[in-house]
Amino acid sequence: MVREQLEVLNALDVAKTQVYHFTTIVIAGMGFFTDAYDLFSISLVTKLLGRIYYYKQGSPKPGTLPPGVSSSVTGVALVGTLAGQLFFGWLGDKMGRKKVYGITLILMIICSVASGLSFGSSAKGVMTTLCFFRFWLGFGIGGDYPLSATIMSEYANKKTRGAFIAAVFAMQGFGILFSGIITLIVSAGFDHKYKVPAYNVDPAGSTVPETDYIWRIILMFGSLPAALTYYWRMKMPETARYTALVAKDAKKAAADMGRVLQVEIEAEHEKIEQISQDKANNFGLFSLEFVRRHGVHLFGTTSTWFLLDIAFYSQNLFQKDVFSAIGWIPKPETMNATQEVWRISKAQTLIALCSTVPGYWFTVAFIDIMGRFAIQMMGFFFMTVFMFAIAIPYDHWTKKENRLGFVVMYGLTFFFANFGPNATTFIVPAEIFPARLRSTCHGISAASGKAGAIVGAYGFLYAAQSRDATKTDHGYPPGIGVKYSLIVLGVINVLGMLCTFCVPEPKGKSLEDASQENVDVQIRPGEA
C-alpha cells in the first residue's frame, strides 16, 4: 500500500525550477570543482617532483619518483577519500547534511594549503609530509561526495532532479580543466622568467631551485574555490527530508522549505509522528528487510562505481604516461622541468576541454529524458568500444602520422565515461535509498568507487610499464605494457555493463517512491 506524501516533500517534488535550485547547484558544485582540482592536479606535477627531489648526477634521464613514492603521492588522497566517504556519509545521516558539510569544506581548505607548504630537509621528508596532508585532504573530499549528492537530490523536484545532481557533478569537469589551465599559466610564467636549457644540454641547470615553487602554488590554489563558498554553505537550511523524516521536526521542515519556496506549508506533526512509529520503514542497514528491498541495488551501485573508477582514474591520473608512450609528449630529456609540466598540462587541458567537460553536460541535458540506466549502459558500451579500438591495433596508433587519431579515440573514452557511468554512478545512490540511510549508502557506493580508483592508480602504474626490462621507468619491474593494460580496462568496462542490470531506474519518481519509503511492508518478528 502506498502512503500519502507529506505536503512539504510534495511541494519540493512539484516545485518549478527556481533560483534556489541554481544557487544549490553552484554551492554544492564548487565543492566538486575543488575535489577534482585537488585530486587530479597532482598528476600534473609528479614528473616535476621527480626532477626536483630525485635527480641523480650523471643519469641520462631526469629524476623520477621511485615506484613506492609515486604510487603513494598519487594514491594517498584516494585512500583518504575512501575513508572520508564512509565516515562522513554515516555522519551525514546521524548529524544532518548541513552540519557535516561545513566540516568537510574546512578540512579541504586547510589541507590544500598545507599540501603546498609540505616541509622537510630531504626528499623523504617532503614526500612524507605531502602524503600526510593529501591523505587528510582526501578525507575532506570524501565527505563532499555523499553530502553534495544527498543535499541536491533532497532539494530538487522530481522532474529535473537528475539534471540538477548531474550539474553538481559536472563541476568536476571544470575542476579538471581549471587545474590544467592554472598549471599552464604557472609553468609558462616560470619558463619565461627562468630561461634554462633542456636536460640533455645541462642536466643540473634544467631544473632551477625556484622550480620548487611551481607545484606548491598549483596545489595551494585548490583552497581558493572552497574558501569562497564556505559562507554560502553555512547559510543553506537543512534539507526538509532530513528534518522531517530523520529528525522528525515537522515545524522546522515546513518553515525552512516555506522560506525557500516562498509558499505557506503546513507543519504535519501527526503524519510525521505516524511515519516515525511505522516499523515497516525503521529497518537498519544491517537488517534482512534492507537486504530484501535494497541489497541488489546496493550491489549494483557499489560494483558499477568500483569498476568504472578503475578505468576512469587509470585514464585520468596516467594520461601523461599514455601520451608519452605514443610520443605526443616529447621525451623528458629533450625539455627542461617547466617545459615538461607545460606539455603535460596542455595535453590534459585539451582532453578536458574537448571531451571530459562536454561529456558531463551531455548527461545534464539528457539524463531526465533518456534515464539513468540507458545512459550508464551506453557509456560503458562505448568506453569498451573505444578502449578496444585503441588497444588492439596499438602499434598502429604509436606511429607519428596516426597520433592525432589516437588522441581523438582516447578522448572519446573520456566523453562516454562522463556522458555515462561516471555521472550516473554518482546520481543514482542519492535517489534509491531511504532518507535515514541515503548519505550512508551513497558513501558506501562512493567508497567502493574509490577502492576501484586505488586499484587503478596503483595497478596501472605498474601494469603499464614496458614488458622489456630495459625500457621500464627507473625502479619499476616489467609490466604488461600500455596496450595490454588498455585491453584489461576494456574488459572491466564490459563487467560494468553487466552489473548495471542490478541498478533500478528512478527517473521521474519522488525520492520516497524511488526508495520505497512510501510503501508499507510488514516486517517479520525479529528482523527489524
Side-chain angles (χ1 to χ4, degrees):
M1 188 176 77
V2 178
R3 187 193 303 116
E4 185 183 351
Q5 179 77 301
L6 287 170
E7 184 185 339
V8 65
L9 304 186
N10 186 61
L12 284 167
D13 282 338
V14 300
K16 293 181 179 179
T17 300
Q18 300 176 34
V19 173
Y20 83 88
H21 286 120
F22 295 105
T23 303
T24 307
I25 288 170
V26 172
I27 294 170
M30 285 309 289
F32 264 90
F33 179 98
T34 305
D35 298 348
Y37 183 99
D38 289 332
L39 286 177
F40 294 109
S41 59
I42 193 67
S43 66
L44 301 174
V45 298
T46 50
K47 296 277 190 183
L48 178 62
L49 291 171
R51 282 184 182 250
I52 296 170
Y53 294 105
Y54 292 91
Y55 165 68
K56 291 187 177 181
Q57 191 170 1
S59 173
K61 293 183 179 181
T64 58
L65 295 177
V69 175
S70 181
S71 57
S72 295
V73 167
T74 305
V76 71
L78 300 177
V79 177
T81 303
L82 186 155
Q85 286 164 336
L86 292 173
F87 176 73
F88 287 116
W90 167 79
L91 202 62
D93 283 333
K94 295 299 179 185
M95 293 177 57
R97 314 343 181 179
K98 178 184 175 180
K99 290 179 182 177
V100 182
Y101 215 23
I103 298 171
T104 62
L105 205 62
I106 291 172
L107 195 56
M108 288 160 59
I109 294 168
I110 293 172
C111 292
S112 287
V113 175
S115 294
L117 297 176
S118 297
F119 51 87
S121 57
S122 64
K124 184 177 181 180
V126 175
M127 294 301 113
T128 300
T129 52
L130 176 60
C131 288
F132 174 80
F133 290 126
R134 281 193 63 79
F135 172 85
W136 290 108
L137 172 64
F139 193 69
I141 288 172
D144 221 44
Y145 275 74
L147 293 169
S148 290
T150 300
I151 285 172
M152 192 67 247
S153 72
E154 293 182 346
Y155 263 100
N157 62 53
K158 64 182 179 181
K159 184 178 179 181
T160 57
R161 184 178 63 240
F164 289 155
I165 306 173
V168 169
F169 195 59
M171 295 299 286
Q172 187 180 75
F174 286 125
I176 295 172
L177 177 64
F178 194 66
S179 68
I181 292 172
I182 291 297
T183 305
L184 280 171
I185 294 170
V186 173
S187 58
F190 272 80
D191 192 48
H192 179 76
K193 174 70 174 177
Y194 304 100
K195 299 184 183 298
V196 297
Y199 185 88
N200 56 12
V201 175
D202 182 2
S206 67
T207 308
V208 295
E210 289 81 4
T211 307
D212 191 54
Y213 291 117
I214 293 177
W215 68 271
R216 297 178 184 275
I217 292 170
I218 291 167
L219 296 187
M220 291 171 70
F221 211 93
S223 64
L224 187 60
L228 291 174
T229 55
Y230 178 77
Y231 171 78
W232 297 107
R233 278 200 181 189
M234 294 300 95
K235 291 280 287 183
M236 290 175 67
E238 181 58 86
T239 71
R241 284 182 161 90
Y242 180 85
T243 306
L245 299 177
V246 183
K248 308 291 192 294
D249 190 335
K251 184 177 181 180
K252 189 173 189 307
D256 285 345
M257 292 306 103
R259 228 173 14 253
V260 168
L261 298 172
Q262 297 180 338
V263 295
E264 286 290 328
I265 299 176
E266 181 186 352
E268 300 169 290
H269 299 281
E270 291 182 5
K271 195 179 288 186
I272 287 180
E273 185 66 24
Q274 182 183 350
I275 292 172
S276 67
Q277 292 175 358
D278 185 356
K279 294 186 182 298
N281 274 311
N282 283 332
F283 56 86
L285 181 65
F286 301 104
S287 66
L288 288 177
E289 185 62 25
F290 178 86
V291 173
R292 267 200 295 271
R293 290 204 204 183
H294 300 293
V296 173
H297 301 162
L298 188 60
F299 170 78
T301 58
T302 53
S303 60
T304 52
W305 207 336
F306 174 79
L307 294 165
L308 177 275
D309 270 10
I310 293 176
F312 184 72
Y313 277 82
S314 294
Q315 288 176 259
N316 262 297
L317 292 173
F318 300 106
Q319 282 182 55
K320 61 186 183 301
D321 301 301
V322 174
F323 290 143
S324 295
I326 65 162
W328 202 41
I329 296 174
K331 293 182 178 180
E333 58 267 26
T334 65
M335 301 177 282
N336 64 39
T338 53
Q339 288 169 344
E340 185 175 34
V341 174
W342 191 87
R343 287 277 192 167
I344 292 169
S345 56
K346 176 187 173 185
Q348 176 168 306
T349 303
L350 285 173
I351 289 292
L353 188 62
C354 298
S355 62
T356 305
V357 172
Y360 281 111
W361 290 98
F362 265 70
T363 300
V364 174
F366 290 104
I367 191 163
D368 287 312
I369 299 171
M370 295 174 61
R372 288 69 162 152
F373 180 85
I375 288 179
Q376 185 160 309
M377 285 293 286
M378 177 194 69
F380 270 128
F381 174 77
F382 282 109
M383 286 174 70
T384 304
V385 169
F386 289 113
M387 199 68 79
F388 283 148
I390 61 178
I392 294 171
Y394 180 73
D395 294 336
H396 166 80
W397 297 117
T398 58
K399 295 175 182 176
K400 190 172 183 179
E401 63 271 20
N402 299 325
R403 288 172 186 167
L404 180 60
F406 177 95
V407 173
V408 171
M409 301 280 274
Y410 195 62
L412 284 169
T413 65
F414 282 98
F415 176 81
F416 283 105
N418 296 307
F419 183 29
N422 191 42
T424 53
T425 52
F426 174 80
I427 295 165
V428 174
E431 300 180 296
I432 64 173
F433 297 108
R436 68 186 181 285
L437 300 172
R438 185 169 292 135
S439 181
T440 301
C441 290
H442 194 287
I444 292 170
S445 302
S448 179
K450 281 301 165 285
I454 293 165
V455 171
Y458 286 89
F460 195 84
L461 189 66
Y462 286 88
Q465 293 297 317
S466 173
R467 302 169 80 181
D468 183 347
T470 63
K471 296 181 180 179
T472 61
D473 291 337
H474 179 73
Y476 287 85
I480 61 175
V482 173
K483 174 179 179 175
Y484 291 102
S485 296
L486 292 174
I487 289 175
V488 169
L489 295 183
V491 173
I492 287 170
N493 291 329
V494 173
L495 294 175
M497 290 176 63
L498 296 176
C499 291
T500 297
F501 286 102
C502 296
V503 180
E505 177 57 74
K507 184 185 81 168
K509 299 178 181 178
S510 73
L511 288 179
E512 287 64 47
D513 288 338
S515 64
Q516 303 175 43
E517 286 178 275
N518 275 350
V519 179
D520 291 323
V521 178
Q522 292 300 317
I523 296 185
R524 298 169 191 171
E527 291 184 359

